[in-house]
Amino acid sequence: MIKELTIKISKKVFNKFFLKYLECKTRYLVLYGGAGSGKSYFIVERYLYRILKEKRLNLLAVRKTGKSNRDSTFALFKQVISKWKLNEHFKINESDLRIKCLLNGNEIVFAGLDDVEKLKSITFSKGELTDVWIEEASEILESDFKQLDVRLRGKGTNKQITISFNPIDVNHWLKKRFFDKKYDNVTICHSTYKNNDFLDEPYKNLLESYKDTDPYYYDVYCLGKWGVLGKTVFDARKIQARLDNLKKPLKIGYFEYIYDDTKPKGQKISNIKWINDKNGYIKIYQVPNVPAQTKYCIGGDTAGDGSDYFTGHILDARTGNQVAVLKHQLDADLYTRQMYCLGKYYSNRDSYGLHEALIAIESNFDSFPIRELQRLGYKNQYVREKIDEYTGKTEKKFGFKTTSLTRPTILSGLIQIVREHTETINDEDTLLELLTIIRNEKGRIEAPEGGHDDQMMGLAIAHEARGQVTFSAENISIPLHNDFGDMFKDNNTYDYGEEITII
Ligand SMILES: Nc1ncnc2c1ncn2[C@@H]1O[C@H](COP(=O)(O)OP(=O)(O)OP(=O)(O)O)[C@@H](O)[C@H]1O
Ligand SMILES: [Mg+2]
C-alpha cells in the first residue's frame, strides 16, 4: 500500500505581507521594491510550496549570469529546503544546477542568460516548462525577456513568469512594459524592508542612513521608488513627495459624441457624453465647478517629431490646479474632437452665456488641430502674436508655437510651478514623466533617449495659456440652468456614466 504523505508548512515561515500572493495565478507576477524586503526569499518559499503541492511544475530560474545564480537563487533554494527539513525529498545536483522533487518529479533548473546553449537545450524529466523566475530582472535586456516569454507560450494555461527587481531607473523597459498601463494578466507587488518581519536592525539602519548620504540610493533601495539617474530638471524631491500623496482620478474614460459634417459650424459635434472606461485615455481629477465661476484652460501637445502621444492638460485657470489629463496615440482629428469635448465640458456659464475653456494647442508639427477646432466652430482658442518680418505688423494667430524663445520660457515657468506648487499636479503619469526630464550637454531640457516629453509640454503650454484667461471683475452668482443642473449637482459624486448633453 502506498502511504499518503502529508507535509505541513506553517504560515509563520512566510512574511505575512506576501501571503496574499501565494496562490496568484496571473501570467506575470511582478515583485519589486526596496532592498531586503523579502522578495527573493518569498519567491523561493512560494515555489517550494507549489512544487510540493502541484502535480506538474517545472521552473526555470534565470539571472543575467549563471554564476550569480549559483550564489543566490540556487543557494537560497538549498537553504530553505534544509530549513524546512525537506532534504530527503529533493535531489540537488550541484554541477548541473538542478533541483528535483523526488515525490512528484517536479524540477527546477537554474541558468544564466549568458549560457545560451544551456537555455536552448533545457528539458525536464517529466513534462514541460511551466514557470520562469527572472531574478534581478532590471539587469536583463527586454529582448531576453521577450525570448523567455515566447518560450513559455503554448499549451497549458497555468504558466507563470515571476519577476523580481529593484526599481533602479524610471526609464527602464520594465516600467514601460508592466507599469505604464494596467494589464489584467499582471499582478504587481511593491514591498520595502518595512514589509519584512525577519530583517535585522543594522540592515534597516543602513537603508535609512542613505537618506542623508545618497538620495538616489534612498529612493530606490530604502523606499523602493523608481530611481532617477542623472541630473533632473524638475525638483525630484518635491515630485517624489507629491507622488506619495496622490489621489486616484475621479473618473477614467473618454467622450462619445455624434459627428455630423453636414451641420453648420458649432453644431457638427453634438450629444457629447462621458463614457466610463478603465482603459480610457482621459483622467478626470476634478469636475467642472460652474457655480463658483471657475474658468478653465487647456494646453495640448501634438504628436510629432520624437513624441508619440497627443496630450491635453486642463487647468483651473486661477489656481493652476490640474483637473484633467488626456493622453493617447490618437489620430489628429479624433484628438481634436476629444479636446473640443473637453473644452465644452469645462465651459463656464455666467449671465452673458456659455464660455468655452481656452484651448492652446501646439502648432509646430501639426496645425491641423487648430484649424479643425476653428472649422468645428470652437470659439475660444489661444492667440499668439507674430511680427511680420517685412511689414513689421503684428499678426494674430491661433495656437501655441514652440520656438527657441518660447520653449525655455514656458519650461522655466513649469520648473517654478513644480518647485512651488507641486500640489497642483494631480496626474501620476505627468509627475513620473517630469522626473525623467534632463538637461542635455547643450543645456536643452528634454526627455532622455527613448523617453517622452509630451506631458511636460502639454502642461507647460496649459500654464502659459492661463495668462490669456480673463476673469470678470466680480463673481456673478447665477442659478443653475436646467440643462446643466444635474451635471453639476454634486462635484464629487456625480456619475459620468449617464448621458449628458452639452450645448
Ligand atoms: N520568510 C523569511 N524567513 C526568514 N528570513 C527571511 C524571510 N524573508 C526574508 N528573510 C530575511 O530577509 C533578508 C532579505 O530578504 P530577501 O533577500 O528576500 O530580500 P529582497 O527583497 O530579495 O532584497 P533585494 O532587493 O536586495 O534582492 C534575507 O536575507 C533573510 O535573512
Ligand atoms: Mg532579492
Side-chain angles (χ1 to χ4, degrees):
M1 203 180 91
I2 302 169
K3 218 177 115 201
E4 185 103 348
L5 180 75
T6 311
I7 294 173
K8 282 194 179 164
I9 298 164
S10 163
K11 277 193 180 169
K12 287 188 189 146
V13 302
F14 295 94
N15 266 306
K16 277 190 300 300
F17 172 79
F18 290 103
L19 269 176
K20 54 182 171 290
Y21 301 99
L22 201 58
E23 306 290 346
C24 169
K25 292 276 190 294
T26 50
R27 178 168 173 93
Y28 305 99
L29 171 58
V30 179
L31 292 103
Y32 83 113
S37 70
K39 299 180 290 298
S40 305
Y41 209 103
F42 170 70
I43 293 167
V44 166
E45 289 187 319
R46 179 173 181 268
Y47 269 118
L48 270 187
Y49 160 78
R50 290 187 56 212
I51 277 172
L52 290 164
K53 191 177 100 155
E54 279 167 38
K55 204 166 150 232
R56 189 57 61 229
L57 193 157
N58 286 316
L59 171 68
L60 169 64
V62 291
R63 276 194 71 158
K64 191 176 172 192
T65 65
K67 178 160 177 353
S68 54
N69 239 345
R70 179 180 291 278
D71 303 334
S72 61
T73 53
F74 185 65
L76 201 50
F77 267 101
K78 288 198 298 181
Q79 185 188 328
V80 180
I81 287 172
S82 77
K83 208 170 162 192
W84 286 7
K85 302 197 172 40
L86 294 171
N87 284 71
E88 61 176 305
H89 300 306
F90 286 92
K91 186 179 158 208
I92 296 171
N93 185 330
E94 294 275 350
S95 55
D96 250 10
L97 292 189
R98 267 177 184 263
I99 296 176
K100 183 172 180 175
C101 176
L102 300 170
L103 298 167
N104 52 22
N106 286 340
E107 258 181 305
I108 314 169
V109 173
F110 300 82
L113 286 167
D114 52 349
D115 196 347
V116 182
E117 287 314 306
K118 181 172 180 181
L119 271 179
K120 264 197 232 155
S121 60
I122 286 170
T123 53
F124 296 89
S125 49
K126 283 192 180 160
E128 54 171 11
L129 181 68
T130 62
D131 285 73
V132 175
W133 171 23
I134 308 173
E135 167 72 321
E136 306 299 351
S138 56
E139 294 173 355
I140 77 163
L141 298 173
E142 187 170 18
S143 53
D144 289 327
F145 167 79
K146 282 182 184 161
Q147 281 192 11
L148 291 165
D149 201 23
V150 168
R151 259 200 88 165
L152 208 62
R153 294 263 167 231
K155 301 192 299 289
T157 44
N158 267 346
K159 293 189 168 175
Q160 191 170 58
I161 300 188
T162 300
I163 295 163
S164 48
F165 64 94
N166 305 112
I168 55 167
D169 178 8
V170 69
N171 290 309
H172 203 279
W173 64 265
L174 281 162
K175 178 163 175 300
K176 296 197 180 97
R177 187 154 195 123
F178 293 107
F179 294 79
D180 286 357
K181 275 193 214 152
K182 299 254 176 296
Y183 299 99
D184 291 339
N185 60 357
V186 179
T187 301
I188 290 179
C189 163
H190 178 262
S191 57
T192 70
Y193 78 85
K194 292 185 177 151
N195 303 113
N196 184 350
D197 308 327
F198 299 92
L199 205 61
D200 54 35
E201 285 303 315
Y203 195 71
K204 290 182 193 174
N205 294 339
L206 173 71
L207 290 173
E208 282 295 342
S209 75
Y210 289 138
K211 189 170 189 171
D212 304 318
T213 55
D214 190 332
Y216 169 81
Y217 250 66
Y218 180 68
D219 281 343
V220 176
Y221 294 103
C222 185
L223 304 177
K225 290 183 177 178
W226 288 103
V228 181
L229 299 160
K231 176 106 186 68
T232 58
V233 170
F234 295 96
D235 191 326
R237 296 249 75 88
K238 289 270 170 73
I239 296 177
Q240 297 278 25
R242 179 67 186 138
L243 281 164
D244 282 342
N245 288 303
L246 285 185
K247 293 201 179 84
K248 287 207 174 102
L250 292 176
K251 296 282 167 190
I252 302 176
Y254 58 91
F255 288 100
E256 205 175 69
Y257 50 82
I258 293 173
Y259 176 71
D260 183 351
D261 215 7
T262 62
K263 293 270 174 69
K265 264 188 174 188
Q267 293 170 31
K268 292 182 192 294
I269 290 180
S270 60
N271 284 54
I272 301 170
K273 63 177 178 180
W274 173 259
I275 304 292
N276 280 319
D277 178 352
K278 71 175 166 45
N279 296 315
Y281 40 85
I282 297 175
K283 295 191 173 110
I284 290 186
Y285 296 93
Q286 206 177 81
V287 295
N289 190 7
V290 166
Q293 299 288 297
T294 308
K295 285 196 173 181
Y296 297 92
C297 60
I298 308 181
D301 189 36
T302 53
D305 197 19
S307 72
D308 299 338
Y309 291 95
F310 283 96
T311 61
H313 288 257
I314 297 84
L315 304 182
D316 175 329
R318 201 184 293 274
T319 63
N321 195 28
Q322 185 190 38
V323 296
V325 174
L326 174 158
K327 179 184 177 183
H328 199 270
Q329 288 170 307
L330 292 166
D331 291 330
D333 55 343
L334 298 179
Y335 166 70
T336 309
R337 291 183 207 163
Q338 291 293 327
M339 291 288 269
Y340 178 100
C341 296
L342 275 165
K344 291 280 183 184
Y345 181 49
Y346 282 98
S347 291
N348 157 275
R349 184 186 282 276
D350 63 18
S351 48
Y352 300 103
L354 190 72
H355 309 287
E356 297 155 341
L358 177 79
I359 298 186
I361 300 184
E362 203 229 22
S363 67
N364 287 50
F365 293 105
D366 197 349
S367 60
F368 174 84
I370 289 154
R371 283 182 280 117
E372 183 65 3
L373 278 180
Q374 266 179 288
R375 200 183 65 85
L376 294 172
Y378 196 86
K379 295 196 205 74
N380 199 9
Q381 283 206 65
Y382 176 89
V383 177
R384 69 174 187 274
E385 290 192 344
K386 192 183 157 216
I387 299 166
D388 189 296
E389 280 175 32
Y390 298 104
T391 62
K393 276 191 194 152
T394 308
E395 252 189 334
K396 291 194 169 181
K397 292 202 157 192
F398 284 136
F400 181 83
K401 191 122 194 155
T402 311
T403 66
S404 54
L405 205 65
T406 62
R407 193 174 186 276
T409 309
I410 62 168
L411 289 180
S412 57
L414 188 58
I415 289 170
Q416 192 184 352
I417 279 161
V418 171
R419 196 174 55 233
E420 291 168 14
H421 302 286
T422 330
E423 76 288 348
T424 61
I425 309 175
N426 298 313
D427 180 53
E428 184 184 16
D429 189 62
T430 306
L431 288 162
L432 287 173
E433 184 185 290
L434 292 178
L435 267 184
T436 69
I437 302 296
I438 47 167
R439 203 181 283 277
N440 74 9
E441 54 292 349
K442 290 190 188 125
R444 188 176 192 271
I445 294 171
E446 62 183 17
E449 184 100 27
H452 296 284
D453 66 3
D454 331 58
Q455 299 281 39
M456 169 183 81
M457 289 308 295
L459 184 59
I461 293 169
H463 277 286
E464 162 67 18
R466 282 170 67 196
Q468 272 189 18
V469 177
T470 49
F471 295 94
S472 43
E474 55 183 304
N475 258 358
I476 318 157
S477 194
I478 43 130
L480 286 176
H481 292 247
N482 284 338
D483 50 349
F484 280 107
D486 274 349
M487 186 169 163
F488 304 115
K489 204 168 52 190
D490 184 336
N491 281 346
N492 293 319
T493 58
Y494 185 80
D495 180 8
Y496 288 93
E498 285 172 40
E499 188 163 331
I500 47 176
T501 307
I502 305 175
I503 44 155

